[in-house]
Amino acid sequence: MKISFNWLKSYIHTSLDVQQVADVLTSIGLEVESVERVEKVPGGLAGVVVGHVVECGKHPDADRLSLTKVDVGGAEPLSIVCGAPNVAQGQKVLVATIGAKLYPTEGEPFVIKKGKIRGAESHGMICAEDELGLGKSHAGIMVLDESAVPGTPAADMLGLSDDFCLEIGLTPNRTDAFSHFGVARDLYAALRNAEVPVEAAIAKPEVMAIDKSEQSTMNVSVEHAEACPRYAGVLLKGVKVGPSPSWLQERLQAIGQRCINNIVDITNFIQHEVGQPMHAFDAARIAGSHVRVRMAGEGEKITTLDGVERTLSDQDLVIADEEKAMCIAGVLGGSESGVSEQTVDVFLESAYFHPVFVRKTAKRQGIHSDSSFRFERGCDPHQVIWALQRAVQLIRQEAGGEVASQVFDIRDDFQVAHKVDFNWKRSLRLIGKDIPKETVKQILTDLEICITAETEEGLQLEVPLYRTDVQREADVVEEILRIYGYNRVEIPTRMQSSLSHHAQPDAEQLQHKVSDMLVSLGFHETQSMSLSGARFLSLNEAMASTAVEILNPLSGDLAIMRQSLAYGAMQAVELNQNHRNADLRLFEFGKVYHKYASGFHEERRVSITVTGRRNPESWSTSSDKVSFVDLRAAVDALCAAMGIRGVQYKAGEHAFFAESIELSQGKQSLGYVGNVHASLLKTFDVKQEVWYAELNWDALLKAVPASKVSYRQPEKFPAVRRDLSLLIDKAVRYADIEKVAFETERKLLREVNLFDVYEGKNLDAGKKSYAVSFTMQDSGKTMTDQQVDQIMTRIQAALAEKLGASLR
């Protein structure tokens, strides 16, 4: 939402500058994201001053040039060569001094420099209006009034004051602040009720009632009252359509609005003034002089103002005449019924359309307009007539014309206001501070919330309909605290809390622990949207059958609830790759969603993604790429942090992976790890290998052992290690070796570790070499060589018998 500072000040009178106003608005929830200067004239005429031509004579070498001496308020007059035919001694003119940058009406900006023209030095330029960007005339230089004082900056002389545009990041529920007066109302309440009150006054423009009551040939009918609870309009005859006056153009241009003509600009002005969208029809183009508010026919066509022919649904509300649809109600006008330079008679519309109908139509037609933006979120039905009166007043002021019909005001029953009971004790409990009752009542009054009754316990309130976000007591409390100031609620000197039992394992605590551990390993946490694109369903037919589809998606890329964290991970890899950041270690916690015959199912998961180089690029490190080893190390670290033991890795199949391994504990599957399939890499245009793990967080939590505190003395006697270099078949896994070893020696064998693998020449076909260490320890005595040798002999024999292993 863009707000013009000068426009805002026309409703609220305060001495605060633009930055102070921005700070106040941000503090009350209207977050000002940026403040930009808006110059009436590009460059602000910096370096351009009033000059007095004290001498003027012909150039000896050029008939069309004049040599002048111009007093610009300095110690000496400036010598300036001028080519204007109307320059003369005694004139007051505008002079661009050396270094000034000019922005002409046409052409590129240029800087004034000292130069020579036909041998004569020139120390500036006497300007025409097009050279300053003030108009289009180049017939001669601008001649000022005799009262102009030499040396006065041109901006001051011409009354050119810059404006500022405040970009406010509004939340969708704050419909009351979708206008300049709405922002002024909040600002006024904040200043009046600040800790140190600031002098301020607010005034809404006064309007006069439209007193024309005689009947006319124009007729209005509303055929669908639910979609249009209130419709008002009036006929104006004899208007003169043309360019808008400068004040109106400046207001609209300051917030980035394009000026069209005085009639259309006035309707846009009112929309941004008080938040009420309006529309103007050329009355001569209304067939049968009958305005009908009706539902469109299925397949009915209309060409809108953007030049697009649109096919309507029978669920779309339109403004029509006896022959055709003229406008999509509350969304966008039609090209055939709009106001043009040939328009003489205008029918003005001011209405309240139901938000649901407007939102669905705008979504169906793919239109996002300023009008639909406001109607979708809820306008004020009580403001319809005021806006119509304001428009009639401005049109008669700027375009002439006379009211030629009664005011049509067709309305259905709608709520007058939201009724809310406000309790002092509940307010104190929510706020945590006893705000004086008079202050609370003042805040409510300044926000136009009406106090209808007061008791010892609280207040009975009526909240205006334009405050769609204030319908409960808690909402009113929030409004009071927002204006009173969150920073004015002191932090208590003593905190009171009660201890409570939490079921183990504590999922949130474990998530923080795992996150901290992964971050310490160089990972970055990501967060992706819970919505994903329907295009991903083609990657996995099984997932397509369980997809949870959004009934009213914002776009095709947000059409289904995600079924895997892989899509978000791959999008993060793609984004970073495109920004030349290809070495990534990422993790994410999130939910996935499926729809089965038994109903909807949500599941928490954690993903780990590694890709690119293993080490940062440096002369002192290798350029090896990450591999399964790096991914497994992260997964193992995660399991260790959670205290999960007995995790098994076994070959599995998953659509996302070229080669995948399933993690399990007993019969419970914990997730999959592997390298991402080429088809998925191609979908996201990722050009390097990606290793990815997606684990079932709910299953991991169930695998966490019960928390038991135990104590064991440090070992008093040393451990003994023996290494074996085993020659085994390629089909034999390390897990098989580990299993056989522990089955052979259950009491004294503490650890088995694979520390080297060799496959290559000097080995028989189908063979590989594993170097395995075995660590043994007796907690009661020092082990003897004889005892260790006996154990190793039994282990060697078991490995030979069960796995065909031999010593290399």
Side-chain angles (χ1 to χ4, degrees), residues 587-618:
F587 72 97
E588 179 180 9
F589 288 90
K591 288 185 176 181
V592 296
Y593 308 86
H594 296 86
K595 182 181 180 181
Y596 301 111
S598 58
F600 295 102
H601 178 70
E602 294 184 17
E603 186 176 281
R604 290 178 292 179
R605 293 187 182 175
V606 56
S607 70
I608 299 176
T609 308
V610 292
T611 183
R613 288 189 295 262
R614 177 171 290 139
N615 300 305
E617 188 176 18
S618 172

Side-chain angles (χ1 to χ4, degrees), residues 693-737:
E694 185 161 327
L695 309 179
N696 185 327
W697 182 248
D698 292 323
L700 289 171
L701 292 175
K702 291 179 181 178
V704 174
S707 186
K708 294 182 179 179
V709 178
S710 60
Y711 167 76
R712 182 170 61 88
Q713 285 186 341
E715 295 291 348
K716 296 181 179 179
F717 302 99
V720 179
R721 169 173 162 167
R722 292 287 188 270
D723 297 343
L724 295 179
S725 181
L726 301 173
L727 190 63
I728 56 178
D729 292 337
K730 285 191 174 182
V732 176
R733 300 178 305 162
Y734 163 71
D736 300 327
I737 298 173

Side-chain angles (χ1 to χ4, degrees), residues 27 59-60 176 183 192 332 472-473 484 507 525 748 788:
S27 71
H59 193 295
D176 60 299
V183 172
R192 286 245 301 168
L332 193 60
R472 305 169 302 160
E473 183 182 37
Y484 180 76
E525 184 171 8
L748 300 178
V788 173

Side-chain angles (χ1 to χ4, degrees), residues 367-589:
I367 302 173
H368 180 77
S369 64
D370 284 342
S371 175
S372 67
F373 179 78
R374 287 163 174 78
F375 278 127
E376 285 176 23
R377 290 157 177 80
C379 292
D380 183 6
H382 299 296
Q383 192 169 240
V384 166
I385 293 299
W386 186 96
L388 193 66
Q389 293 170 337
R390 175 76 162 151
V392 169
Q393 180 177 308
L394 290 176
I395 289 175
R396 294 186 66 183
Q397 172 185 313
E398 304 298 345
E402 295 295 331
V403 177
S405 75
Q406 73 273 29
V407 175
F408 298 97
D409 185 11
I410 303 172
R411 54 188 294 174
D412 193 29
D413 290 334
F414 49 79
Q415 193 176 3
V416 175
H418 305 301
K419 296 184 183 296
V420 178
D421 290 330
F422 175 81
N423 183 275
W424 295 115
K425 289 184 178 179
R426 287 194 293 268
S427 170
L428 173 60
R429 189 175 72 249
L430 289 173
I431 294 176
K433 179 177 181 177
D434 190 7
I435 301 175
K437 293 181 179 180
E438 291 303 316
T439 301
V440 170
K441 290 189 284 186
Q442 183 65 59
I443 290 173
L444 294 173
T445 302
D446 291 342
L447 291 175
E448 298 183 358
I449 296 176
C450 181
I451 301 173
T452 57
E454 182 176 356
T455 65
E456 285 292 326
E457 289 74 28
L459 307 172
Q460 292 181 5
L461 308 174
E462 287 189 354
V463 183
L465 290 185
Y466 62 76
R467 289 310 306 266
T468 57
D469 61 322
V470 182
Q471 300 186 21
R472 305 169 302 160
E473 183 182 37
D475 300 330
V476 175
V477 172
E478 182 183 4
E479 288 300 292
I480 294 168
L481 186 54
R482 182 174 65 85
I483 298 300
Y484 180 76
Y486 294 101
N487 293 335
R488 294 173 66 183
V489 179
E490 298 84 0
I491 297 175
T493 56
R494 185 178 63 178
M495 299 293 290
Q496 295 181 342
S497 62
S498 58
L499 298 177
S500 59
H501 172 73
H502 291 280
Q504 296 296 331
D506 188 323
E508 184 175 353
Q509 187 179 40
L510 274 176
Q511 182 172 327
H512 288 316
K513 182 178 181 180
V514 169
S515 298
D516 290 343
M517 181 274 299
L518 289 172
V519 169
S520 72
L521 295 178
F523 283 80
H524 291 85
E525 184 171 8
T526 64
Q527 282 189 330
S528 57
M529 295 188 66
S530 296
L531 301 175
S532 62
R535 62 192 177 100
F536 299 138
L537 295 179
S538 61
L539 300 174
N540 190 325
E541 293 183 3
M543 283 191 169
S545 63
T546 61
V548 180
E549 298 183 6
I550 304 299
L551 296 178
N552 189 24
L554 296 174
S555 70
D557 289 334
L558 303 171
I560 61 172
M561 302 295 287
R562 67 181 175 195
Q563 297 170 282
S564 170
L565 302 182
Y567 303 134
M570 295 306 297
Q571 286 175 327
V573 172
E574 178 189 21
L575 177 65
N576 280 274
Q577 172 192 269
N578 293 341
H579 286 77
R580 299 183 180 278
N581 183 28
D583 305 327
L584 301 171
R585 292 172 179 261
L586 310 173
F587 72 97
E588 179 180 9
F589 288 90

